[in-house]
Amino acid sequence: MINKYAGRCGTCSAPVEAGAGQAVNVDGRWNSYHHGCVPVRVAPPVGRHAGWHDLPVVGFDLEGTLPEPTETRIISAALVHSDGTTQEWLIDPGVSIPADATARHGITDEMVRSGGQPAREALADLGTAVAKLIADGIPLVAFCAPYDVTALHTELARHGLPAIDWDRAVIIDPSVLHKEVEPRWYGSKQLGDLCRYYEVTLKTAHEAASDARAAADMARSIAARHGRIARMRPDLLHQAQIGWYAEQSRDLQSYFDRQGRDETVSTQWPLETKPRG
């Protein structure tokens, strides 16, 4: 962010006028930097350890009409397998897509009406595919998993389709893993920014197949750099993330409370059972 106050550059020690550089939090301390002096944070090196990142996982992502997962209508979804096989769905939700949603992912009413599957038909296919992966014990990787899991769970119920047994699922959420291995991270936690940090390619942000592929690659990259994560059995890693996410959410809630922000942070992962506050 732009520095509000004058100071001395944390790299070259020369003066930095207010508004003429950047304020960056490094290890819990805010410093001013010239734009060309901002330190580049580098991810830990890849290790030689074995782990679940050497085994098949499937990236999962979807795009919807709304940011609230219990209210959104799914309009695109993708499953990206480790061998490169990709399953994609373009879905006509039967309702208009808000302009701000189209601005984010580029999907228009015309696109889903002309090329999308009817919602019930597509969601039945998607639900069956996800349920089979869970039955086969294949981990699903989803970035910020509560949105994708909760949205799919809600949509299946909305259309009277069989529910997925999420209690049997193994979910790996690279956003949770990142916060666990980088507890003093003060930069952006958006998918694109973390992809750059973990040296992962994100071709097209907010495109379901691209996001799903990047999520899977990021999860593997984190495990490859952190043996503690890689050596956890996937089902035990899933259970650990439930606790990590709850703790991370409580920390965020404390921050909002200190700021006087009227926001409620859910501690449920990966399935949220009530609307977000």
Side-chain angles (χ1 to χ4, degrees):
M1 67 177 69
I2 300 298
N3 63 314
K4 293 183 179 179
Y5 309 104
R8 288 196 171 273
C9 179
T11 298
C12 71
S13 299
V16 183
E17 297 297 328
Q22 294 184 41
V24 179
N25 195 311
V26 178
D27 294 329
R29 180 178 179 181
W30 287 96
N31 295 310
S32 295
Y33 294 91
H34 297 107
H35 292 296
C37 292
V38 176
V40 177
R41 192 162 183 172
V42 178
V46 171
R48 296 182 179 180
H49 52 269
W52 57 260
H53 58 297
D54 300 316
L55 303 174
V57 299
V58 174
F60 169 46
D61 186 75
L62 56 82
E63 299 295 330
T65 57
L66 298 170
E68 166 55 59
T70 61
E71 297 178 2
T72 194
R73 302 299 179 96
I74 298 172
I75 52 179
S76 70
L79 295 169
V80 178
H81 299 252
S82 294
D83 64 1
T85 302
T86 302
Q87 298 169 268
E88 296 183 72
W89 292 264
L90 180 65
I91 304 170
D92 182 354
V95 299
S96 295
I97 301 172
D100 58 343
T102 294
R104 183 174 64 255
H105 48 57
I107 301 174
T108 65
D109 288 331
E110 292 73 19
M111 290 169 63
V112 296
R113 287 169 185 164
S114 63
Q117 291 178 262
R120 195 174 193 280
E121 173 187 312
L123 290 166
D125 189 27
L126 173 60
T128 298
V130 170
K132 184 178 187 309
L133 291 170
I134 293 172
D136 292 342
I138 305 298
L140 285 169
V141 181
F143 187 85
C144 296
Y147 182 84
D148 304 274
V149 169
T150 304
L152 179 56
H153 179 82
T154 304
E155 279 277 67
L156 293 176
R158 180 179 288 127
H159 289 275
L161 294 166
I164 291 171
D165 186 357
W166 294 109
D167 289 338
R168 294 182 58 201
V170 174
I171 308 290
I172 298 173
D173 188 338
S175 69
V176 176
L177 299 187
H178 171 74
K179 293 172 189 174
E180 170 65 17
V181 301
E182 296 279 7
R184 297 180 69 84
W185 181 274
Y186 297 94
S188 170
K189 300 180 182 72
Q190 297 297 313
L191 178 63
D193 296 301
L194 294 184
C195 279
R196 284 188 287 274
Y197 179 66
Y198 288 109
E199 300 180 318
V200 168
T201 298
L202 174 61
K203 291 185 178 180
T204 307
H206 301 297
E207 191 274 320
S210 182
D211 283 359
R213 184 175 295 106
D217 289 345
M218 186 189 300
R220 284 189 286 257
S221 181
I222 293 173
R225 299 167 195 276
H226 296 275
R228 172 173 68 94
I229 300 296
R231 285 187 283 266
M232 295 182 73
R233 208 171 70 194
D235 60 328
L236 298 181
L237 178 61
H238 175 103
Q239 292 301 316
Q241 288 171 101
I242 294 174
W244 295 343
Y245 184 84
E247 182 178 357
Q248 293 162 7
S249 297
R250 286 191 290 268
D251 287 345
L252 181 58
Q253 185 68 67
S254 295
Y255 171 77
F256 286 162
D257 292 345
R258 291 194 301 272
Q259 297 292 314
R261 293 166 61 173
D262 186 22
E263 296 185 49
T264 301
V265 182
S266 172
T267 59
Q268 294 182 302
W269 183 97
L271 177 64
E272 296 177 0
T273 59
K274 56 185 179 181
R276 296 177 177 180

